[in-house]
Amino acid sequence: MASGKPLAAVTCTAPVNIAVIKYWGKRDEELVLPINSSLSVTLHQEQLRTTTTAAVSPDFTEDRIWLNGREEDVGQPRLQACLREIRRLARERRRTQDGDALAPSPSYKVHIASVNNFPTAAGLASSAAGYACLAYTLAQVYGVDSDLSEVARRGSGSACRSLHGGFVEWQMGVQADGTDSVARPVAPESHWPELRVLILVVSAEKKLTGSTVGMQTSVETSALLKFRAEAVVPARMREMTRCIQERDFQGFGQLTMRDSNQFHATCLDTFPPIFYLNDTSRRIIHLVHCFNAHHGQTKVAYTFDAGPNAVVFTLEDTVAEFVAAVRHSFPPESNGDKFVQGLQVAPALLPDDLKAALALEPTPGGVKYIISTQVGPGPQVLRDPQAHLLGPDGLPRPAA
Ligand code: 2P0
């Protein structure tokens, strides 16, 4: 029987982030506490985003969730942890602050619908954008205004870094309860306007070893990972922060590549070993180093996560030439006109001496397509009621 109370619905978007100092390994599985701090760049939501609607009503009898239009099991432990945590924060706020009587009761059940504007299985950090969006949207709908690091982190560690725009650090913290394991902005979105990001999509296949299981095995078996977390990352966090603050691309690019390489070295040092890079990834690495050697400086830098796709950083004035180098090395098989998506890239001719310097047999189709993007803002609330993925009945709209 409907209570007649209106349904409260909020729709928000959240970004993907790409780590330049990598998170790999937990010291607490349940609370999702990392063994080292990490630092990331938030990518622009114009190109890559998750959109989530959360609706609460006294009429709902159970929590429900739809991902990309399909209903999923709401009982997954990580999702449950996020819901429990946001309701705890909502109750805390009710107890400690007056005047929020308008906020819906934390005991109201919630319906959630979430969509990505990019392929979930493409290995493009969909869980980070997804859980950041979930935490942010639930906070809006239940009237929570405290730090959301813990809510997002309980969903997926790297998600807490997607709660902010620009350049973001996730401080590992030292407390056993995780209260100081939080994400903080290092520099805003507007800080380095010339910085560009190119995602070289190599494969859209699902990965062999998931991050959660992969990092567990690494923590258990890799001595190199322990050394990295204790002896390497602390100084790298300071150095990376300096490079960003000073907009030092040479330093930023070199450290980004070294940290990606060290992360993949810890994967190889894991027993049994984990391989995320493939032949095309290695060819991209070679291409970047040839390109930089030709120019006598670090003009482009790669980083790879738990998959074969490359994320390449460069400055605005180098984008066109580097994309021409990628096209030369990985001639598009059938989608020549749609090879570059996102921010426009001007066509450029590859100078003969650079072509010669690339020194690789071209591999047709190795790179499927490129998403061209830039640094972007943190989560946003969409005010337009048309944006809701759930209808007035609390069920997904046909398009959702
Ligand atoms: C990162 N990655 O810093 C690193 C680099 C992949 C390689 O964070 O178990 O999906 O949910 O905390 O956050 C991927 O790990 O793992 C990741 P969980 P998550 O971006």
Side-chain angles (χ1 to χ4, degrees), residues 205-389:
E205 283 164 33
K206 228 174 132 53
K207 56 193 167 206
L208 229 55
T209 313
S211 297
T212 306
V213 171
M215 64 177 87
Q216 267 170 8
T217 315
S218 297
V219 167
E220 284 161 16
T221 61
S222 170
L224 177 57
L225 181 66
K226 188 172 157 58
F227 173 74
R228 162 179 165 74
E230 290 170 4
V232 181
V233 172
R236 284 193 174 177
M237 287 293 292
R238 289 191 292 276
E239 174 63 6
M240 188 59 89
T241 303
R242 182 199 66 74
C243 292
I244 290 166
Q245 279 164 352
E246 296 175 5
R247 291 185 281 267
D248 167 5
F249 188 80
Q250 301 273 317
F252 171 83
Q254 282 178 33
L255 192 50
T256 294
M257 292 188 281
R258 283 176 185 274
D259 205 69
S260 172
N261 294 343
Q262 189 175 77
F263 156 54
H264 290 279
T266 68
C267 290
L268 188 60
D269 189 49
T270 298
F271 197 81
I274 305 167
F275 306 97
Y276 288 125
L277 305 180
N278 66 16
D279 281 349
T280 305
S281 316
R282 284 183 284 274
R283 282 171 186 271
I284 293 168
I285 291 174
H286 188 63
L287 169 69
V288 165
H289 286 290
C290 288
F291 189 94
N292 288 339
H294 172 77
H295 285 288
Q297 55 176 306
T298 301
K299 299 267 268 183
V300 289
Y302 54 78
T303 185
F304 295 83
D305 278 350
N309 298 323
V311 176
V312 170
F313 291 98
T314 189
L315 297 176
E316 201 177 7
D317 62 4
T318 309
V319 171
E321 189 179 67
F322 182 71
V323 167
V326 174
R327 249 182 207 282
H328 170 78
S329 303
F330 305 98
E333 273 185 330
S334 58
N335 61 344
D337 52 332
K338 293 208 192 80
F339 189 59
V340 182
Q341 303 175 9
L343 285 183
Q344 279 232 324
V345 176
L349 272 180
L350 211 56
D352 283 340
D353 55 344
L354 176 52
K355 213 181 274 182
L358 297 181
L360 264 180
E361 271 299 296
T363 317
V367 172
K368 307 276 180 255
Y369 60 97
I370 298 176
I371 302 171
S372 162
T373 187
Q374 59 190 335
V375 184
Q380 312 278 316
V381 179
L382 301 184
R383 304 283 170 196
D384 178 5
Q386 296 296 319
H388 289 329
L389 303 172

Side-chain angles (χ1 to χ4, degrees), residues 157-214:
S158 53
C160 66
R161 299 187 313 238
S162 278
L163 291 169
H164 304 280
F167 303 81
V168 184
E169 67 173 326
W170 173 16
Q171 300 166 349
M172 62 175 289
V174 292
Q175 303 289 341
D177 65 0
T179 44
D180 57 350
S181 187
V182 289
R184 293 272 179 259
V186 168
E189 173 201 354
S190 56
H191 173 71
W192 201 348
E194 304 81 20
L195 194 65
R196 288 289 179 277
V197 183
L198 299 167
I199 302 169
L200 277 48
V201 177
V202 166
S203 156
E205 283 164 33
K206 228 174 132 53
K207 56 193 167 206
L208 229 55
T209 313
S211 297
T212 306
V213 171

